[in-house]
Amino acid sequence: MTTSGGPPTVETIAERAGVSIASVSRVLNGHGARPNTVRRVEQAAAELGYVPNGVARSLKGGRTRQLTFAMPDVGNPAYVSMVRQIQAVTKPLGYRLLLHSTDAVAEDELDVVRSLADRTSDGLILCPIRVTDAHLEVLARAARPVVVIGSLPDAAAVDSVRADSVHGTALAVRHLVERGRRRIAFINGPADTVPGHNRALGYRAALREAGLTPDPGLTVTTEFGIEAGTRAAHRLLQARPDIDSVFCANDQLALGAAHAAHDRGLRIPDDLAVVGMDDSELAMAGQPALTSVDLGSAERGRLAAQMLVARLEGGDHPVRCETVPPRLAVRASTAGVRGAAAAPGPATADAADAGGRVAAGSAS
Amino acid sequence: MTTSGGPPTVETIAERAGVSIASVSRVLNGHGARPNTVRRVEQAAAELGYVPNGVARSLKGGRTRQLTFAMPDVGNPAYVSMVRQIQAVTKPLGYRLLLHSTDAVAEDELDVVRSLADRTSDGLILCPIRVTDAHLEVLARAARPVVVIGSLPDAAAVDSVRADSVHGTALAVRHLVERGRRRIAFINGPADTVPGHNRALGYRAALREAGLTPDPGLTVTTEFGIEAGTRAAHRLLQARPDIDSVFCANDQLALGAAHAAHDRGLRIPDDLAVVGMDDSELAMAGQPALTSVDLGSAERGRLAAQMLVARLEGGDHPVRCETVPPRLAVRASTAGVRGAAAAPGPATADAADAGGRVAAGSAS
DNA sequence: GTGAAAGCGCTAACAA
DNA sequence: TTGTTAGCGCTTTCAC
């Protein structure tokens, strides 16, 4: 059965053009042929509306030109901005992007890495919520290149891009101190994660650096989410009405905290300064607009994509580990006590500018 | 060359287990074999850490178990909630999800449909910004099942799920009228799209229904975005300080408008009531929380996924076209003139409750 | 129940 | 330059 009912294949074209399938393949891949052959093949292909079967091609070539991105939550703006940057890097190179939402379930993350063995994807960018020993084990045996967005032990032979939440947090605290705040509360996300732990470290370190004594009663831990932020802030303001500012582990929490403050009749920033984290669109949505620490989600996504592509297309090279420095976007929610609005465009300062030593060792 | 250096294949296992590759395949697919054979094959597979090559499987079977979702913008919360629902439906069925951000470029959308011919994906959910004749032509020849999220001519033989922006808009306007507002402005998104056009229709119709005369000076058209909303609202409030409420074509615009109102010293809702659209997380982020029309992004995503799966797995069935009714989430930004806060949980009302006739003909 | 062999659609090595 | 042919790894007849 030569020309059957299905979609056209190289064989269909070969028959129609009166050449062999090898010639068809050559012409279609630009591997040179006699002008006359080229013309006939191209015409036949056009007439039949031929599109090469990508699966067959992949089977032969061993590459699918598909990349996978696995992150905890599609809904989180920080990950969405990673998706956007990854697309920006890989799409022009002809890669398709497979999306995986792990809902922060570790077993799901492991499965994604394991499934690289099915040859369905050429590489993976993994954004785990927490790296366990099981992760390291599975990553070591990964069938395809993987780039991790997050902190890995130095021993792990895996490319990675990390944020620096220690210094990011410090950036926020220092900024509040500079604006004259002294009783700086902290609404942290889940503490049993690497970033959560590092933010707590950065917070305490920056307070001490400023000559302030960390007060355990000023730290609250909760899940991420606007409503969670509202509840946490109410609890905090109830127990400690003396605080003059609050730093939140992401913009959702900060927005929730701002709501709570308004409910209690507090003015922002006069009575309470608020700082968020991630510098997502939500920060602009605040009333007033929120100062926010940008941990470089977009930059991390871009770097990870570039590293993965380099691993796939470049030759072998040593394991890379990049750390993206945090930046502070200053807005009206931390304006000086005089209540003056911040400059129109958000002022930014990277960790170094703000007096930070971006120590690679303690980075996360 | 039998057992080479690459990853294990059916042949590797066959050798190790001392059986034929056919038996390996049968055992691995649960097609019955002698207990002893089963045991030996399973053991060999386990020892080798065998994972079937998905590409080879697809080539043979003609299905990739991959689905594609193409939408205008990964960053838009409305599409993100579609992604989440699509995942929820398809992941348990063993499908992977390919994501495509078309940036609202029509040619990109067409390419996605055309590329179905490469057999790399089993089906597509397409969310076009505007359906042109070229779309219809390409859709008619699609190599794989497609479900469109959006409005299609009745003649198109393509499954589709549509929102009802006409009635969604009317819901918002009626609600404002009920709350005693009379000078209701409208900040619309790009007007040269089907939804943009329909929102304009719904706005005017609802005003007339309430006995109010649409005033062209009260409608402003702009791009989507928080800052665009702020600028549009400033323009509006400058030219027409008499307005008592504003309806915005999405939550970003509404948030921007709320900012502008605050800047001008207007109180929400007392001086200006604000209604958004999409009922995204941004609505909760407003100060006060924004009343918002939910056009059912999540529901549309879920339905589209179910329709696609039905098309792929069920037998043939007639073309389906579902319309998702809008809902109104009432929050503090439209509280009554007395300034009382809305009930804690958002009250919702579907189009029918609010007195609408959900006419299929005019739906979009 | 099991094995040999065909073939999914393509690319590339080899011959002519 | 062109055609013949051998696989890529898998599933599935078809004999035995």
Side-chain angles (χ1 to χ4, degrees):
Chain A
M1 72 195 53
T2 50
T3 302
S4 71
T9 69
V10 274
E11 196 180 343
T12 327
I13 297 181
E15 280 174 12
R16 183 162 190 136
V19 298
S20 73
I21 60 168
S23 289
V24 174
S25 176
R26 270 184 230 113
V27 170
L28 262 26
N29 291 296
H31 287 191
R34 208 168 41 194
N36 185 39
T37 309
V38 172
R39 195 182 45 70
R40 290 166 63 182
V41 169
E42 284 178 342
Q43 183 177 343
E47 286 171 1
L48 291 166
Y50 173 77
V51 176
N53 182 321
V55 177
R57 225 176 217 182
S58 295
L59 180 58
K60 185 98 249 274
R63 295 189 349 262
T64 57
R65 301 212 72 88
Q66 291 189 160
L67 265 27
T68 305
F69 177 51
M71 84 295 211
D73 174 19
V74 238
N76 189 319
Y79 300 126
V80 170
S81 73
M82 289 182 189
V83 172
R84 178 177 273 131
Q85 294 301 313
I86 294 171
Q87 288 266 24
V89 173
T90 59
K91 197 172 168 183
L93 266 35
Y95 288 99
R96 282 175 240 109
L97 221 219
L98 278 162
L99 213 69
H100 240 280
S101 199
T102 62
D103 296 323
V105 175
E107 195 51 43
D108 257 39
E109 295 172 353
L110 300 179
D111 277 342
V112 173
V113 182
R114 292 198 196 99
S115 73
L116 285 171
D118 77 2
R119 261 55 206 169
T120 250
S121 170
D122 292 349
L124 167 70
I125 297 176
L126 177 67
C127 196
I129 194 68
R130 188 178 340 176
V131 177
T132 66
D133 286 345
H135 281 79
L136 296 176
E137 202 170 307
V138 165
L139 283 170
R141 309 181 187 291
R144 294 285 186 173
V146 179
V147 175
V148 169
I149 298 184
S151 295
L152 248 33
D154 293 340
V158 181
D159 291 327
S160 64
V161 183
R162 49 181 68 179
D164 186 348
S165 17
V166 173
H167 288 102
T169 305
L171 226 47
V173 173
R174 277 191 215 116
H175 171 70
L176 287 168
V177 170
E178 280 164 16
R179 294 287 160 112
R181 311 293 167 152
R182 288 297 174 268
R183 308 207 60 79
I184 303 171
F186 178 31
I187 301 182
N188 199 356
D192 56 347
T193 65
V194 176
H197 177 70
N198 285 341
R199 285 188 297 257
L201 282 183
Y203 169 72
R204 287 195 298 266
L207 284 181
R208 287 203 202 88
E209 178 190 300
L212 300 171
T213 309
D215 174 347
L218 293 189
T219 292
V220 178
T221 287
T222 184
E223 296 300 307
F224 287 121
I226 294 180
E227 310 219 21
T230 302
R231 283 193 302 273
H234 270 304
R235 232 182 308 148
L236 200 55
L237 290 163
Q238 178 76 39
R240 303 293 298 264
D242 58 320
I243 64 176
D244 57 22
S245 53
V246 59
F247 167 58
C248 304
N250 82 358
D251 287 337
Q252 295 175 302
L253 292 174
L255 232 14
H259 269 271
H262 282 112
D263 281 355
R264 296 176 155 262
L266 299 175
R267 289 162 310 159
I268 299 173
D270 308 73
D271 301 319
L272 187 76
V274 178
V275 178
M277 191 169 231
D278 281 346
D279 195 23
S280 62
E281 190 185 46
L282 288 176
M284 287 304 300
Q287 189 59 248
L290 300 179
T291 290
S292 189
V293 176
D294 180 5
L295 289 183
S297 309
E299 178 70 0
R300 279 179 285 157
R302 198 180 57 76
L303 271 174
Q306 288 173 339
M307 285 166 71
L308 184 56
V309 167
R311 192 57 79 184
L312 290 172
E313 312 206 328
D316 260 2
H317 56 257
V319 172
R320 281 172 55 188
C321 172
E322 302 268 357
T323 298
V324 175
R327 295 176 157 276
L328 185 69
V330 177
R331 300 202 182 82
S333 71
T334 58
V337 276
R338 282 176 297 255
T348 63
D350 66 25
D353 289 345
R357 322 129 261 154
V358 182
S362 69
S364 143
Chain B
M1 72 196 55
T2 49
T3 301
S4 71
T9 69
V10 275
E11 196 180 343
T12 327
I13 297 181
E15 279 174 14
R16 184 160 188 136
V19 298
S20 73
I21 61 168
S23 288
V24 173
S25 176
R26 272 185 226 113
V27 170
L28 262 26
N29 292 295
H31 286 188
R34 210 167 40 190
N36 185 39
T37 309
V38 173
R39 196 181 45 72
R40 291 166 61 182
V41 169
E42 284 179 343
Q43 183 177 342
E47 286 171 2
L48 292 166
Y50 172 76
V51 176
N53 181 319
V55 177
R57 216 173 226 183
S58 295
L59 180 57
K60 189 93 247 268
R63 293 187 352 260
T64 57
R65 302 213 71 88
Q66 291 189 160
L67 265 28
T68 304
F69 177 50
M71 84 295 211
D73 175 19
V74 239
N76 189 318
Y79 301 127
V80 170
S81 72
M82 288 182 190
V83 172
R84 179 177 270 132
Q85 293 301 313
I86 294 171
Q87 287 266 24
V89 172
T90 59
K91 196 172 167 184
L93 266 34
Y95 288 100
R96 282 175 242 110
L97 221 218
L98 278 162
L99 213 68
H100 240 280
S101 200
T102 62
D103 297 322
V105 175
E107 194 52 42
D108 257 38
E109 296 172 351
L110 300 179
D111 278 342
V112 174
V113 182
R114 292 197 197 98
S115 73
L116 284 171
D118 78 3
R119 258 59 203 168
T120 250
S121 169
D122 292 349
L124 167 70
I125 297 176
L126 176 67
C127 196
I129 194 70
R130 188 178 340 178
V131 177
T132 66
D133 286 345
H135 281 78
L136 297 176
E137 201 170 307
V138 165
L139 283 170
R141 309 182 187 290
R144 295 284 187 172
V146 180
V147 175
V148 170
I149 297 184
S151 295
L152 250 33
D154 293 341
V158 181
D159 291 327
S160 65
V161 183
R162 50 180 68 179
D164 186 347
S165 19
V166 174
H167 288 101
T169 305
L171 226 47
V173 173
R174 279 192 214 116
H175 170 70
L176 287 168
V177 170
E178 280 164 16
R179 294 287 162 111
R181 310 292 167 153
R182 289 296 174 269
R183 308 209 60 80
I184 303 171
F186 178 31
I187 301 182
N188 200 359
D192 56 346
T193 65
V194 176
H197 177 70
N198 286 339
R199 286 188 295 256
L201 282 184
Y203 169 71
R204 288 194 296 267
L207 284 181
R208 287 202 203 88
E209 178 190 300
L212 300 170
T213 309
D215 174 347
L218 293 189
T219 293
V220 178
T221 287
T222 183
E223 296 300 308
F224 287 121
I226 294 181
E227 310 220 21
T230 302
R231 283 193 302 273
H234 271 304
R235 232 182 309 148
L236 199 55
L237 290 162
Q238 180 76 39
R240 302 295 298 265
D242 59 320
I243 64 176
D244 57 21
S245 52
V246 58
F247 167 59
C248 305
N250 82 359
D251 288 337
Q252 294 174 302
L253 291 174
L255 232 15
H259 269 271
H262 282 113
D263 281 354
R264 296 176 155 263
L266 299 176
R267 288 163 310 159
I268 298 173
D270 309 74
D271 301 320
L272 187 76
V274 178
V275 178
M277 193 167 229
D278 282 346
D279 195 23
S280 62
E281 191 185 45
L282 288 176
M284 286 304 300
Q287 189 58 248
L290 299 179
T291 291
S292 188
V293 176
D294 179 5
L295 289 183
S297 309
E299 178 70 1
R300 279 180 284 157
R302 199 180 57 76
L303 271 173
Q306 288 173 339
M307 284 166 71
L308 184 56
V309 168
R311 192 58 79 186
L312 290 172
E313 311 206 327
D316 261 4
H317 56 257
V319 172
R320 281 171 57 189
C321 172
E322 302 268 355
T323 298
V324 174
R327 295 175 158 277
L328 186 70
V330 177
R331 300 202 181 83
S333 71
T334 57
V337 275
R338 280 177 299 255
T348 61
D350 65 23
D353 289 346
R357 321 130 259 155
V358 182
S362 68
S364 140

